Amino acid sequence: MTLVLALMLAQAIAAQARPDSFADLAQKISPAVVNITTSTVVAQGTGPSPIVPEGSPFEDFFEQFRNRQGEGDRPRRSSALGSGFVISEDGFVVTNNHVIESADEIVIEFFSGETLPAEVIGTDPKTDIALLKVKADKPLPFVSFGDSDTARVGDWVLAMGNPLGQGFSLSAGIVSARNRALSGTYDDYIQTDAAINRGNSGGPLFNLDGEVVGVNTAILSPTGGSIGIGFSMASNVVKRVVDQLQEFGETRRGWLGVRIQDVTDDVAEAMGLEKAAGALVTDVPEGPAADAGMLAGDVILSFDGKDVADTRSLVRQVGNTEVGKAVRVLVFRDGKTTTLKITLGRREDAEAAIPVAQPGGESQEPAEKTMLGLTLSPLNDELRAQLELDSNASGLVVTDVDNLSEAYEKGLRAGDLITEAGQQKVAAISDLDDRIAEAREAGRKSLLLLVRRAGEPRFVALGIEE
């Protein structure tokens, strides 16, 4: 019993321990952190200059002023500063893509003061990561990636880099939040209050074991300086990107070949789903998913054995899966689940893929009808021409929307094309009447519509209670 109490006391003391100093850790990791200087030749006139009307008496004056300043029509060289870190003894360096983008020359400065030129191995604008390489005549000190998924809110972290061009600098803080998304498809940022400023971009965020758990990328600030809201791309994302850049010189992300949207509560109710989760397929262009039999209106519940929470999680799961891998995808369709086996393609090869138009017949009904807050008309040749639709397009055209209706609140506008209702094609107003009647008979409170605008599909659930 005494031994058990002693162990419990030791654990409690360790849990409350705080570092008296970060000096030993800083001394250990500093040699692997680098300053990055880039230079770019910029054509004359690309910078800000006074606007002077042609023929003005001031035109000659400003021309003489530019010439005295050495500008004239000659190109000038622009410099920028950033940070990075060495990940291997043979000289691979990680930084942000925006630090070295468009650079003609990249120079790496080490903590010792030594400088070496660097070449770009590969970049990934989607995660803002770049991999560089320097040639050194001796093994270089380096740091390793840690597991960012184990970082908890409240953990100590250290940011190191070259803030505001002042040279090597260390700041300490905590993990303020996890899984932040800014604007990118594959964003997974660690938010920290460790001071990050301009010039810190591309530098490492360390845990107390000296492992890199993030790459400092962005700050949120109304002033341009640190206010304690900084963002570091999580190391588990960075490591996958770096491994691919190191092996292939480019990224190779998995591609499913679907367009998707989140499952909202009203969409879940309209489809008979138990909860609002998964990714709702709005379109299936030519590609891996279409080849495997996936359909618009399917809800992807799990991918490769992992539950799908929403569209963001599915995009990341697919992107992180090996190109060419055959995966099992569980979908909800017509009130039951179906498993599809899909061999993934490569996203980079399909970035410009155009969705395949859905065929359908043409309605002969000429009349308009108002329902669900929408004034609808069957699609005809005249409307096809007005909306610039293919000759094989079919559906009901929204010609007007009641400003006080649920449909207006959910974004439907004149010119939208409704191609499906209740996951069945509609070509005539009577088709939509039938779908509404069927949904009411089934006890549903809403009806799921597939709406296309400028070729882009999305699902909208509208209430149908009488």
Side-chain angles (χ1 to χ4, degrees):
M1 181 65 71
T2 303
L3 179 60
V4 173
L5 288 174
L7 287 173
M8 291 177 63
L9 180 60
Q11 290 175 347
I13 292 173
Q16 295 297 321
R18 296 291 184 270
D20 295 327
S21 171
F22 298 111
D24 290 340
L25 180 57
Q27 187 175 10
K28 172 185 174 183
I29 60 180
S30 293
V33 181
V34 299
N35 293 339
I36 297 178
T37 304
T38 65
S39 61
T40 308
V41 174
V42 181
Q44 190 274 335
T46 58
S49 61
I51 301 175
V52 182
E54 187 175 352
S56 164
F58 293 100
E59 188 176 10
D60 291 340
F61 170 78
F62 281 111
E63 184 66 30
Q64 292 171 8
F65 176 78
R66 284 198 301 267
N67 290 336
R68 283 200 303 269
Q69 296 299 313
E71 295 181 9
D73 294 326
R74 292 178 299 175
R76 58 188 176 85
R77 185 166 287 277
S78 173
S79 296
L81 300 172
S83 306
F85 54 99
V86 183
I87 61 167
S88 65
E89 65 177 14
D90 58 344
F92 282 101
V93 176
V94 173
T95 186
N96 279 146
N97 177 58
H98 75 258
V99 169
I100 55 89
E101 193 172 21
S102 303
D104 298 319
E105 184 178 290
I106 305 171
V107 176
I108 305 295
E109 180 188 2
F110 294 87
F111 191 71
S112 63
E114 181 184 4
T115 61
L116 289 173
E119 63 172 325
V120 177
I121 299 301
T123 64
D124 179 33
K126 286 185 170 59
T127 56
D128 198 11
I129 295 298
L131 182 65
L132 312 178
K133 182 72 163 59
V134 297
K135 294 181 180 179
D137 54 7
K138 59 183 177 182
L140 296 174
F142 65 95
V143 288
S144 301
F145 287 108
D147 183 358
S148 56
D149 288 344
T150 63
R152 301 179 303 162
V153 173
D155 281 351
W156 282 103
V157 285
L158 304 178
M160 196 166 189
N162 181 22
L164 303 175
Q166 295 301 302
F168 289 92
S169 177
L170 180 73
S171 59
I174 62 169
V175 174
S176 303
R178 288 286 318 279
N179 303 121
R180 292 295 201 205
L182 296 182
S183 61
T185 306
Y186 300 98
D187 285 4
D188 183 11
Y189 284 104
I190 294 173
Q191 182 184 327
T192 178
D193 66 350
I196 297 174
N197 286 284
R198 292 173 58 187
N200 272 115
S201 291
L205 187 73
F206 290 104
N207 60 21
L208 293 191
D209 292 325
E211 299 171 327
V212 178
V213 292
V215 177
N216 302 323
T217 301
I219 61 173
L220 184 62
S221 170
T223 64
S226 174
I227 60 170
I229 305 178
F231 300 94
S232 299
M233 183 62 75
S235 61
N236 286 359
V237 174
V238 177
K239 189 176 186 304
R240 281 189 289 267
V241 170
V242 168
D243 287 346
Q244 290 188 346
L245 294 179
Q246 199 164 356
E247 183 175 358
F248 307 115
E250 60 186 359
T251 55
R252 298 187 178 182
R253 293 187 171 96
W255 177 58
L256 192 58
V258 293
R259 293 188 179 188
I260 53 178
Q261 70 180 56
D262 285 333
V263 178
T264 58
D265 290 332
D266 52 0
V267 167
E269 196 281 332
M271 298 187 71
L273 284 166
E274 293 181 0
K275 61 179 181 178
L280 175 58
V281 179
T282 62
D283 202 2
V284 190
E286 183 178 349
D291 293 342
M294 188 170 288
L295 303 174
D298 287 349
V299 177
I300 300 175
L301 301 178
S302 75
F303 175 86
D304 201 18
K306 296 181 180 179
D307 290 342
V308 173
D310 51 27
T311 56
R312 183 182 172 219
S313 68
L314 177 61
V315 169
R316 289 185 55 198
Q317 285 174 248
V318 174
N320 292 335
T321 305
E322 180 183 354
V323 175
K325 181 178 180 180
V327 298
R328 295 189 182 278
V329 180
L330 181 68
V331 302
F332 181 85
R333 178 191 297 171
D334 298 331
K336 57 186 179 182
T337 57
T338 302
T339 300
L340 304 176
K341 190 173 183 181
I342 303 175
T343 301
L344 298 185
R346 184 185 173 202
R347 183 182 178 91
E348 289 82 359
D349 293 338
E351 290 287 353
I354 300 175
V356 176
Q358 294 187 3
E362 180 179 329
S363 168
Q364 299 300 315
E365 296 184 2
E368 286 189 338
K369 183 173 182 178
T370 298
M371 61 181 81
L372 305 177
L374 302 168
T375 302
L376 301 170
S377 175
L379 189 59
N380 54 36
D381 290 338
E382 182 180 352
L383 288 172
R384 282 193 185 91
Q386 291 177 8
L387 299 176
E388 299 181 350
L389 296 174
D390 293 337
S391 59
N392 60 354
S394 66
L396 300 176
V397 178
V398 178
T399 59
D400 195 14
V401 185
D402 182 351
N403 290 354
L404 301 179
S405 68
E406 179 191 9
Y408 188 88
E409 292 179 359
K410 292 190 174 179
L412 272 77
R413 296 293 184 267
D416 287 347
L417 180 66
I418 298 174
T419 59
E420 291 185 13
Q423 298 181 269
Q424 297 183 54
K425 294 186 184 303
V426 290
I429 289 174
S430 58
D431 293 337
L432 183 56
D433 284 329
D434 292 343
R435 300 294 86 75
I436 293 174
E438 291 169 1
R440 285 173 177 162
E441 289 174 9
R444 303 207 186 285
K445 298 178 182 179
S446 55
L447 179 67
L448 196 65
L449 305 179
L450 179 59
V451 182
R452 290 178 178 272
R453 180 183 299 167
E456 295 293 327
R458 69 185 181 104
F459 281 99
V460 178
L462 295 182
I464 55 172
E465 293 179 294
E466 294 180 290

